Amino acid sequence: MSSYILALDLGSSKIKVLVAQITGPDTWQIVFPAMRKSQGIKQGMIDNLELVIADLDNLINEMEGANKNFIFKQATVGINGPHLETRISKGVSVISRADGEISEDDKDRALKAAQACVLPANLFLAQTVVQNYTIDGITKVKDPIGLKGLRLEVECLLINAFSPIIRNINRLGESLGLNFRRVILPYAAAEIALSRQDKELGAAALDLGAGTTSLCVYEDNELIDLKVFGVGGNNITNDIAVGLTTSIDIAEKIKISEGFALPKKVPKGAQIDLNQYFEEPLEDNKISKRFVAEIIEARLSEIFEMVGSRLKELNRFGKLPGGIVLFGGGAQMPFITELAKEKFKLPVRIAKPEIDWYKEVHDPSFIPVLGLIDVTFKEKLENTNLRGESVFNKLANFMERHFSL
Ligand SMILES: Nc1ncnc2c1ncn2[C@@H]1O[C@H](COP(=O)(O)OP(=O)(O)OP(=O)(O)O)[C@@H](O)[C@H]1O
Ligand SMILES: [Mg+2]
């Protein structure tokens, strides 16, 4: 039986969809990518459900038409938006076995205790990310199973979401006839954008989207913070439209074809011929390329300052040896890494996950949806391992049980 994972990133400017095929007990590969202009999504959240349902319904029908093995019943969908908020929480359990060996059950009870808190009616605990365990006062244990002790403590980052946003996502799944697995999008993206070494040393993943900018900070291999800002590439486009008194569509084209993040890198006297972008020839058809770069730099600087303030609150500004890893469509702006280096006083690079398909495509706006595939795969793999299956049976059973859609 063929086995696939379907992942959906409902972006403010583009919907990104990937289908991965499971090729072995530990491997997958992308077999179908799709990207469409989105409608009805603002700041990473569904704003007009009907429009989103219609677009995705068409897209999924097309995909199922393109490959007879695609019969989708489940999908992983990203949750994004400035409504996401985090809280660090601790939970404790007393080891139940007489010989003190820690079991899954002890782990689960500690986790449930950490998750037990009363939330306001409009908030929903959307995801729990374990940071570390402490056994009888010995901290930073990553996996306590099989170790011995009396008392197990877990520390985790709880990610809460605004309930109406989650309800809309659920309605979308129902309308499409898909069983949705919800995953916090910036977390999934950071998991694949950063290497294990980055996470160990301390690093930040920064998704430069159209309606949002999302930050995830790691240290000691733990997610220590996640924050979504409601600004992004759309704001740069709007600034250009105002600065040049043009429409949003023309401003977007000029940004993508002529934009630079650093005005000092624009050759002296370089001009943009506006007649390339307007149907009617203009009298005053030349504009300084440096002027457009100044508009871009001003808005990007403001975004980086917001991110910088968050890093200062965490006491990590200038202190993340793994640096800042950029992705999202906005990371394609020429000289953005140079501007970010100046602002963050840290090494900055564009994410390059070691995924064969990504090495061909090189489009950083696909990183979050790629992260959704990877997180889903790893979670299912973990569930299979928990069942203690033999290595030999694993692949056959694994495919049979978990990945038939
Ligand atoms: N070559 C480029 N140079 C500069 N900006 C670009 C380039 N290509 C795309 N962008 C910008 O990237 C943004 C889209 O990126 P992306 O697809 O990651 O956003 P999204 O996922 O739709 O939005 P969000 O994550 O905020 O919901 C747009 O603002 C677009 O203008
Ligand atoms: Mg995005």
Side-chain angles (χ1 to χ4, degrees):
M1 183 189 285
S2 214
S3 38
Y4 300 98
I5 301 174
L6 168 65
L8 313 172
D9 170 4
L10 311 175
S12 313
S13 73
K14 290 189 183 114
I15 289 176
K16 274 81 65 181
V17 177
L18 288 178
V19 181
Q21 183 170 22
I22 312 305
T23 47
D26 299 315
T27 51
W28 52 263
Q29 68 179 34
I30 298 298
V31 291
F32 193 101
M35 188 192 273
R36 293 285 154 83
K37 200 172 183 321
S38 68
Q39 307 179 79
I41 299 165
K42 275 197 187 141
Q43 294 189 325
M45 302 170 289
I46 298 174
D47 178 57
N48 184 327
L49 186 59
E50 273 63 44
L51 284 178
V52 181
I53 292 172
D55 284 349
L56 274 174
D57 204 29
N58 284 338
L59 182 55
I60 290 171
N61 281 337
E62 260 175 52
M63 290 161 75
E64 291 183 336
N67 184 330
K68 66 175 171 30
N69 294 320
F70 291 170
I71 303 161
F72 301 116
K73 295 202 176 75
Q74 297 172 12
T76 301
V77 63
I79 306 178
N80 197 13
H83 60 105
L84 296 175
E85 55 165 59
T86 57
R87 202 164 60 81
I88 292 190
S89 181
K90 286 183 184 178
V92 178
S93 70
V94 174
I95 312 305
S96 53
R97 280 176 56 148
D99 64 0
E101 194 174 307
I102 298 168
S103 65
E104 280 298 331
D105 177 57
D106 300 319
K107 224 170 114 171
D108 284 351
R109 278 185 291 112
L111 211 55
K112 288 218 169 69
Q115 292 167 330
C117 64
V118 182
L119 287 176
N122 59 0
L123 283 188
F124 173 84
L125 174 59
Q127 202 158 327
T128 304
V129 182
V130 171
Q131 295 182 320
N132 61 68
Y133 294 91
T134 300
I135 304 169
D136 297 342
I138 298 167
T139 50
K140 302 271 178 194
V141 176
K142 291 291 173 204
D143 185 8
I145 299 296
L147 300 179
K148 290 193 175 185
L150 293 171
R151 186 178 186 273
L152 177 69
E153 190 176 319
V154 63
E155 195 167 12
C156 37
L157 192 75
L158 303 182
I159 307 172
N160 296 327
F162 189 49
S163 313
I165 306 292
I166 303 293
R167 268 200 292 279
N168 267 347
I169 291 187
N170 291 345
R171 280 193 201 127
L172 174 65
E174 285 159 19
S175 304
L176 297 172
L178 289 173
N179 185 5
F180 270 175
R181 157 106 190 80
R182 299 179 305 251
V183 174
I184 299 290
L185 188 65
Y187 163 71
E191 280 288 300
I192 203 153
L194 300 180
S195 67
R196 196 178 164 83
Q197 193 191 24
D198 296 330
K199 292 179 205 158
E200 192 66 50
L201 285 171
L206 197 59
D207 180 353
L208 302 167
T212 62
T213 299
S214 312
L215 170 73
C216 282
V217 185
Y218 284 73
E219 199 171 67
D220 289 337
N221 226 351
E222 295 168 13
L223 176 67
I224 60 168
D225 192 39
L226 182 149
K227 172 85 186 158
V228 180
F229 303 93
V231 265
N234 284 347
N235 300 78
I236 303 176
T237 305
N238 295 349
D239 293 347
I240 295 174
V242 171
L244 305 187
T245 50
T246 61
S247 69
I248 296 291
D249 286 350
I250 289 177
E252 176 76 11
K253 282 185 190 144
I254 293 176
K255 176 180 88 171
I256 290 179
S257 313
E258 317 270 358
F260 270 38
L262 276 183
K264 65 187 175 203
K265 295 287 182 185
V266 178
K268 271 215 174 79
Q271 293 204 310
I272 299 171
D273 178 4
L274 291 177
N275 278 341
Q276 289 178 68
Y277 300 97
F278 287 86
E279 278 174 12
E280 302 279 309
L282 300 172
E283 250 176 53
D284 199 6
N285 64 353
K286 294 272 193 279
I287 181 143
S288 150
K289 198 164 172 164
R290 189 169 283 210
F291 174 63
V292 173
E294 280 164 1
I295 297 175
I296 295 169
E297 185 196 34
R299 180 60 82 162
L300 278 175
S301 299
E302 195 182 295
I303 293 173
F304 289 160
E305 270 154 33
M306 283 164 56
V307 174
S309 300
R310 183 74 175 187
L311 294 175
K312 282 177 191 151
E313 281 170 34
L314 296 169
N315 195 22
R316 298 297 190 289
F317 189 81
K319 290 184 186 166
L320 296 166
I324 311 271
V325 179
L326 304 179
F327 54 92
Q332 295 171 96
M333 179 68 75
F335 299 105
I336 193 149
T337 48
E338 286 76 359
L339 178 67
K341 266 180 213 163
E342 278 181 17
K343 298 289 170 194
F344 293 116
K345 319 256 180 276
L346 282 173
V348 178
R349 62 173 208 275
I350 309 287
K352 281 196 187 75
E354 284 294 313
I355 308 281
D356 290 342
W357 173 81
Y358 188 79
K359 286 180 195 161
E360 286 165 27
V361 176
H362 260 303
D363 180 344
S365 56
F366 269 107
I367 300 255
V369 68
L370 211 47
L372 292 178
I373 296 273
D374 199 44
V375 164
T376 310
F377 179 75
K378 285 185 177 142
E379 203 181 277
K380 286 172 183 271
L381 194 62
E382 200 174 301
N383 290 342
T384 308
N385 287 339
L386 274 181
R387 262 184 277 272
E389 288 172 36
S390 81
V391 175
F392 305 105
N393 289 336
K394 215 190 261 176
L395 176 59
N397 294 343
F398 179 70
M399 295 236 185
E400 220 23 76
R401 282 203 219 129
H402 301 293
F403 292 98
S404 49
L405 294 176

